Every structure is written in structure tokens, then in C-alpha cells.
Amino acid sequence: MDFYVITLFPEMFESPFRGGMIGRAIEQRILAIHPHPLRPYGLGRYKQVDDAPYGGGSGMVMRPEPIAAAIDAVCAGHPALWKVLLTPQGEIFNQALAREFAAKTEGILLIAGRYEGIDERVRSMVDQEISIGDYVLSGGELAAMVVIEATGRLLAGVLGNPDSLKEESFAERTLEYPQYTRPEEFRGMRVPEILLSGDHAKIRAWREAEARRRTARRRPDLLERRKF
Ligand code: SAM
């Protein structure tokens, strides 16, 4: 699966995906990340991509023409890309959206903003607007990386053991159950006896109950949503 990113800072994408499972997936050609620099589409001698906001106000706003030209250039060879604008005003990204994105086999184009944001007219050129949370970043690059990481690990062949996707947090709209490894006792805290019992049916029941209890305590909103 191909992820294209229109960005003023393509070099930001060089190291984060070099290691780990996404790095391996890139080597295995399960996915590819193509940062597409915005600057060459800038206007005039100085390749300007921003300008002062109409109506006044602080900061600069990204002009629509360079972004439109970059979108056209990327989509010329890949017309079916799903175009996503990264903005704190978008739909909040979550595991369900990551699953939807992982099914977009034609690939995804992510557009990372900077400055005070992007000219409103760019919104008409995209399929979806996504936010990674209710806070404001300086740019969309980190948001693009979050989307790529969360989506990429769901692609077939990326995780060593695909079963882990079934049990992890949000898979069933609950948080994951508590996990333990060696040693059996650490600073006076013991691993729950049931996990040492070898009784797999009981262990499964314990984990389900713990996942529900933990979710009710920490994220009751997830259980509420599950009712609908
Ligand atoms: N002035 C804008 C506003 O209040 O909505 C915020 C602009 S922000 C400083 C610059 C860029 O960072 C945005 O265009 C967007 O691409 C990216 N960005 C910031 N926060 C984000 C978030 N929570 N999710 C996704 N992208 C975000």
C-alpha cells in the first residue's frame, strides 16, 4: 500500500520508519511512504507557499495554488488515491478509521499543513479531514506519521503474529487486559496466579473480565459507544 504525503518538510519522514515493523514492511514492499515536497510548487522566485490572511489576523496561511498543484501532480499517476487533509478540525482518528484506511488498497494521500493553517478552499479538494486529537501541532507531519503507523501495522503481513490485532486495545472497543512477563515476582508484586495456572479457558475469562473492568474504569465512553 502506498502512502503519499504532501509536506514542506519531506526529510522528517526519513528516520522514523527506518526501524521496527514498519521499516521491515517497507523492506518487504508491503507498504511504501512517498513524501512529496510542497516547496517546488511555491509561487515566484522565492517559491512562496503562504500569505497573510484576508481580513487580518496573526500568522500566515498556506495558499491554495501550490497545494492544488501538488495534489494534481501526485494524483496524475494515481487518480484513485484517498485524499486526506490533516487538520485539528477534522474527524478524530481512531482504530476504526485506521481499519478503514488499511482497506484503501489504491493508496492514501496525506496533506500536512503548517503555519496558521490552510486556505479554506483546499477542503473542497480532499475526501476526508482527519485530526489526531484535540490539541494543536505546529504541522501535519507528525499527524501523517501517526496515521501511517496505525494504518500500516494493520496491513496483512506487517505484524509477526496477526492474532495480536484481535486482542489489543480498541479491537473490540475495550482496552486490552493487563499483560505480565517474567519475573513472577517483581518488587513485591506477583503475577496473578491464574496466569500461571495453565488453564486456558479460565485465563481467557479472566482477561475478558479484566479488559471490561479496566475499560469501565479508564474509558467508560468506549463501552457506551459499543451499545449502539
Ligand atoms: N490555526 C489552525 C486551527 O486553529 O485550526 C491550526 C493550524 S496548525 C498550527 C498547522 C497545521 O498542523 C495544520 O494545518 C494541520 O495540518 C496540522 N495539525 C495541527 N494539529 C493537528 C491535529 N490535532 N491533527 C492533525 N493535524 C494537525
Side-chain angles (χ1 to χ4, degrees):
M1 180 169 179
D2 290 296
F3 293 91
Y4 292 82
V5 188
I6 292 175
T7 168
L8 277 171
F9 298 98
E11 66 282 1
M12 282 180 72
F13 291 81
E14 278 165 21
S15 70
F17 297 115
R18 223 175 258 156
M21 61 179 74
I22 298 289
R24 262 196 316 279
I26 291 171
E27 278 168 21
Q28 293 167 354
R29 298 181 188 281
I30 297 171
L31 68 90
I33 302 167
H34 313 277
H36 195 86
L38 180 64
R39 186 62 69 186
Y41 302 93
L43 305 168
R45 197 163 144 214
Y46 297 107
K47 298 289 176 198
Q48 187 186 349
V49 295
D50 58 339
D51 216 324
Y54 276 121
S58 61
M60 301 291 267
V61 174
M62 292 179 82
R63 293 179 62 125
E65 312 96 304
I67 298 177
I71 293 175
D72 289 348
V74 174
C75 291
H78 312 90
L81 287 176
W82 185 253
K83 297 186 279 303
V84 175
L85 179 65
L86 295 157
T87 161
Q89 301 178 20
E91 196 177 335
I92 299 279
F93 189 63
N94 60 17
Q95 193 69 6
L97 278 176
R99 258 183 246 122
E100 281 180 27
F101 281 10
K104 298 199 182 295
T105 49
E106 305 288 354
I108 295 179
L109 167 60
L110 299 158
I111 299 149
R114 281 271 154 180
Y115 312 121
E116 276 309 308
I118 295 180
D119 185 287
E120 184 71 9
R121 290 162 290 188
V122 170
R123 293 180 57 209
S124 67
M125 293 174 223
V126 302
D127 299 304
Q128 199 168 6
E129 297 176 44
I130 290 289
S131 164
I132 61 159
D134 287 343
Y135 41 79
V136 179
L137 303 164
S138 311
E141 286 77 12
L142 289 175
M145 289 179 207
V146 167
V147 170
I148 293 170
E149 166 89 31
T151 305
R153 64 193 291 283
L154 299 180
L155 298 175
V158 174
L159 286 194
N161 178 3
D163 279 352
S164 54
L165 289 179
K166 291 186 202 146
E167 296 194 343
E168 67 186 3
S169 295
F170 308 115
E172 294 294 331
R173 288 194 181 277
T174 56
L175 302 178
E176 194 181 50
Y177 48 78
Q179 294 273 25
Y180 294 88
T181 184
R182 291 196 175 87
E184 255 180 62
E185 186 173 330
F186 171 69
R187 296 190 176 178
M189 294 174 278
R190 284 193 56 74
V191 172
E193 282 307 319
I194 190 141
L195 296 179
L196 310 173
S197 68
D199 185 332
H200 294 294
K202 277 193 182 151
I203 291 174
R204 204 174 314 118
W206 180 85
R207 284 178 165 166
E208 277 172 19
E210 284 297 313
R212 273 198 306 277
R213 199 154 60 136
R214 173 163 284 210
T215 309
R217 206 177 293 148
R218 298 185 187 200
R219 291 292 307 276
D221 57 301
L222 291 176
L223 295 175
E224 280 302 308
R225 271 190 257 157
R226 194 153 79 152
K227 285 185 195 148
F228 299 97

